[in-house]
Amino acid sequence: QRRLVESGGGSVQAGGSLRLSCAASLVTHFSYCIAWFRQAPGKEREGVATIDHNGSTSYADSVKGRFTVSRDNAKNTLYLQMNSLKPEDTAMYYCAAELIEVVSCTAPDPADFGYWGQGTQVTVSS
């Protein structure tokens, strides 16, 4: 059973850092695109970063240079290192996965992803 479980969210001040984790059983060993999405209150869910089975990554313009996505296949875990956090990064962050053939891993659409975690809240105060 494919399962995604996020952790690592919390509250930080602007300029701080957080590292989110996504325990992704049965996903890291197959040809999946794994994405981090976020959703702020009253806003649509947006793609933040992706990583595919080859380790290729992509980022939203709003987080380039500040966020880094990585994976540890031995631990079946994905990470999102978030540095220089801004108040506008405040959102619920979700880990999602789907077969690489089904989605665009460079321009992820949340509607295309079939496997989701429960989300972890990130709050950045000014």
Side-chain angles (χ1 to χ4, degrees):
Q1 180 179 0
R2 296 170 186 84
R3 195 161 166 261
L4 304 173
V5 180
E6 302 96 334
S7 61
S11 297
V12 296
Q13 290 193 328
S17 298
L18 282 173
R19 188 177 80 159
L20 306 183
S21 298
C22 173
S25 62
L26 296 183
V27 169
T28 54
H29 298 292
F30 296 93
S31 298
Y32 279 88
C33 171
I34 303 179
W36 287 97
F37 290 91
R38 67 185 180 187
Q39 188 167 21
K43 294 189 177 181
E44 293 187 353
R45 194 166 294 188
E46 63 173 350
V48 174
T50 65
I51 186 166
D52 69 14
H53 58 294
N54 292 319
S56 296
T57 59
S58 67
Y59 298 91
D61 288 342
S62 58
V63 306
K64 279 180 182 176
R66 300 188 297 123
F67 290 11
T68 302
V69 60
S70 61
R71 61 194 294 165
D72 185 335
N73 287 344
K75 296 182 178 179
N76 291 337
T77 302
L78 288 303
Y79 302 99
L80 184 67
Q81 178 67 44
M82 305 186 297
N83 299 328
S84 302
L85 282 162
K86 304 175 181 180
E88 51 263 45
D89 294 318
T90 295
M92 184 73 79
Y93 282 71
Y94 299 91
C95 176
E98 189 51 81
L99 289 168
I100 195 72
E101 295 87 358
V102 178
V103 298
S104 168
C105 208
T106 54
D109 183 337
D112 295 334
F113 284 74
Y115 303 97
W116 289 85
Q118 81 288 353
T120 185
Q121 178 67 38
V122 171
T123 302
V124 184
S125 58
S126 57

Coordinates of all heavy atoms in Angstrom, one line a residue, residues 4 6 22 33-37 47-51 69 78 94-98 104-105 108 113 115-116:
L4 N 1.9 8.1 2.2 CA 2.7 9.3 2.3 C 2.4 9.9 3.6 O 1.2 10.2 3.9 CB 2.4 10.3 1.2 CG 2.6 9.7 -0.3 CD1 2.1 10.8 -1.3 CD2 4.0 9.4 -0.5
E6 N 3.6 13.2 6.0 CA 4.5 14.3 6.2 C 4.8 14.6 7.6 O 4.0 14.3 8.5 CB 3.9 15.6 5.6 CG 3.5 15.5 4.1 CD 2.1 15.1 3.9 OE1 1.5 14.5 4.8 OE2 1.5 15.5 2.8
C22 N 8.8 13.5 4.2 CA 7.7 12.8 3.6 C 8.1 11.3 3.6 O 8.9 10.9 2.7 CB 7.3 13.3 2.3 SG 6.0 12.3 1.4
C33 N 6.8 10.5 -9.9 CA 7.1 11.9 -9.6 C 6.5 12.2 -8.2 O 5.4 11.9 -7.9 CB 6.4 12.8 -10.6 SG 6.5 14.5 -10.3
I34 N 7.4 12.8 -7.4 CA 6.9 13.1 -6.1 C 7.0 14.6 -5.9 O 8.0 15.2 -6.3 CB 7.8 12.5 -5.0 CG1 7.7 10.9 -5.2 CG2 7.2 12.8 -3.6 CD1 8.5 10.1 -4.2
A35 N 5.9 15.2 -5.5 CA 5.8 16.7 -5.5 C 5.5 17.2 -4.1 O 4.8 16.5 -3.3 CB 4.7 17.1 -6.4
W36 N 5.9 18.4 -3.8 CA 5.5 19.1 -2.6 C 4.5 20.2 -3.1 O 4.9 21.0 -4.0 CB 6.6 19.7 -1.9 CG 7.4 18.8 -1.1 CD1 8.6 18.2 -1.5 CD2 7.2 18.3 0.2 NE1 9.1 17.3 -0.5 CE2 8.2 17.4 0.6 CE3 6.1 18.5 1.1 CZ2 8.2 16.7 1.8 CZ3 6.2 17.8 2.4 CH2 7.2 17.0 2.7
F37 N 3.3 20.2 -2.6 CA 2.3 21.3 -2.9 C 2.1 22.0 -1.6 O 2.4 21.6 -0.5 CB 1.0 20.7 -3.3 CG 1.1 20.1 -4.7 CD1 1.4 18.7 -4.9 CD2 0.8 20.8 -5.8 CE1 1.4 18.1 -6.1 CE2 0.8 20.2 -7.1 CZ 1.1 18.9 -7.2
G47 N 2.0 24.0 -6.8 CA 3.2 23.2 -6.7 C 4.4 24.0 -6.2 O 4.5 25.1 -6.6
V48 N 5.2 23.4 -5.4 CA 6.3 24.0 -4.8 C 7.6 23.5 -5.4 O 8.5 24.2 -5.8 CB 6.3 23.9 -3.3 CG1 7.6 24.4 -2.7 CG2 5.1 24.5 -2.6
A49 N 7.7 22.1 -5.4 CA 8.9 21.5 -5.8 C 8.6 20.0 -6.2 O 7.6 19.5 -5.6 CB 10.0 21.5 -4.8
T50 N 9.4 19.5 -7.1 CA 9.2 18.1 -7.5 C 10.5 17.4 -7.6 O 11.6 18.1 -7.8 CB 8.4 17.9 -8.8 OG1 9.2 18.5 -9.9 CG2 7.1 18.6 -8.8
I51 N 10.5 16.1 -7.5 CA 11.7 15.3 -7.7 C 11.2 14.0 -8.4 O 10.2 13.4 -8.0 CB 12.5 15.0 -6.5 CG1 13.8 14.3 -6.8 CG2 11.7 14.3 -5.4 CD1 14.8 14.3 -5.6
V69 N 14.6 20.2 -2.6 CA 13.9 19.0 -2.5 C 15.0 17.9 -2.7 O 15.8 18.0 -3.6 CB 12.7 18.8 -3.5 CG1 13.2 18.9 -4.9 CG2 12.0 17.5 -3.2
L78 N 11.4 11.5 1.5 CA 11.6 12.7 0.7 C 11.7 13.9 1.7 O 11.1 13.9 2.8 CB 10.4 13.0 -0.2 CG 10.2 12.2 -1.4 CD1 11.4 12.1 -2.3 CD2 9.8 10.8 -1.1
Y94 N 1.8 19.7 1.5 CA 1.4 18.3 1.2 C 2.5 17.7 0.3 O 3.0 18.3 -0.6 CB 0.1 18.3 0.4 CG -1.1 18.8 1.2 CD1 -1.4 20.2 1.1 CD2 -1.8 18.0 2.0 CE1 -2.5 20.7 1.7 CE2 -2.9 18.5 2.7 CZ -3.3 19.9 2.5 OH -4.4 20.4 3.2
C95 N 2.7 16.4 0.6 CA 3.5 15.5 -0.3 C 2.6 14.7 -1.1 O 1.5 14.2 -0.6 CB 4.4 14.6 0.6 SG 5.3 13.4 -0.2
A96 N 2.9 14.6 -2.4 CA 2.0 13.9 -3.3 C 2.9 13.1 -4.3 O 4.0 13.4 -4.6 CB 1.1 14.8 -4.1
A97 N 2.3 12.0 -4.8 CA 3.0 11.1 -5.7 C 2.1 10.6 -6.8 O 0.9 10.4 -6.6 CB 3.7 10.0 -5.0
E98 N 2.7 10.4 -8.0 CA 2.0 9.7 -9.1 C 3.0 9.2 -10.0 O 4.2 9.6 -10.1 CB 1.1 10.8 -9.7 CG 0.2 10.2 -10.8 CD -0.6 9.0 -10.2 OE1 -1.6 9.2 -9.5 OE2 -0.2 7.9 -10.5
S104 N 3.0 15.7 -15.3 CA 4.1 16.6 -15.7 C 4.9 16.9 -14.4 O 4.4 17.6 -13.5 CB 3.7 17.9 -16.3 OG 4.8 18.8 -16.4
C105 N 6.1 16.3 -14.3 CA 6.9 16.5 -13.1 C 7.6 17.8 -13.1 O 8.1 18.2 -12.1 CB 7.9 15.3 -12.9 SG 8.3 15.0 -11.2
P108 N 3.7 20.5 -12.1 CA 2.8 19.6 -11.5 C 1.4 20.3 -11.3 O 1.3 21.4 -10.8 CB 3.4 19.3 -10.2 CG 4.3 20.5 -9.9 CD 4.8 20.9 -11.2
F113 N -2.4 14.1 -9.4 CA -1.7 13.3 -8.4 C -2.7 12.5 -7.6 O -3.7 13.0 -7.1 CB -0.8 14.1 -7.5 CG 0.4 14.6 -8.2 CD1 0.4 15.6 -9.1 CD2 1.6 14.0 -7.8 CE1 1.6 16.1 -9.7 CE2 2.8 14.5 -8.4 CZ 2.8 15.5 -9.4
Y115 N -1.9 10.1 -5.1 CA -1.5 9.8 -3.7 C -1.1 11.0 -2.9 O -0.2 11.7 -3.4 CB -0.3 8.7 -3.8 CG -0.7 7.5 -4.6 CD1 -0.3 7.4 -5.9 CD2 -1.4 6.5 -4.0 CE1 -0.7 6.3 -6.7 CE2 -1.8 5.4 -4.8 CZ -1.4 5.3 -6.1 OH -1.7 4.2 -6.8
W116 N -1.7 11.2 -1.8 CA -1.4 12.4 -1.0 C -1.2 12.0 0.5 O -1.8 11.1 1.0 CB -2.7 13.3 -1.1 CG -2.9 13.9 -2.4 CD1 -3.5 13.4 -3.5 CD2 -2.4 15.2 -2.8 NE1 -3.4 14.3 -4.5 CE2 -2.8 15.4 -4.1 CE3 -1.7 16.2 -2.1 CZ2 -2.5 16.5 -4.8 CZ3 -1.4 17.4 -2.8 CH2 -1.8 17.5 -4.2

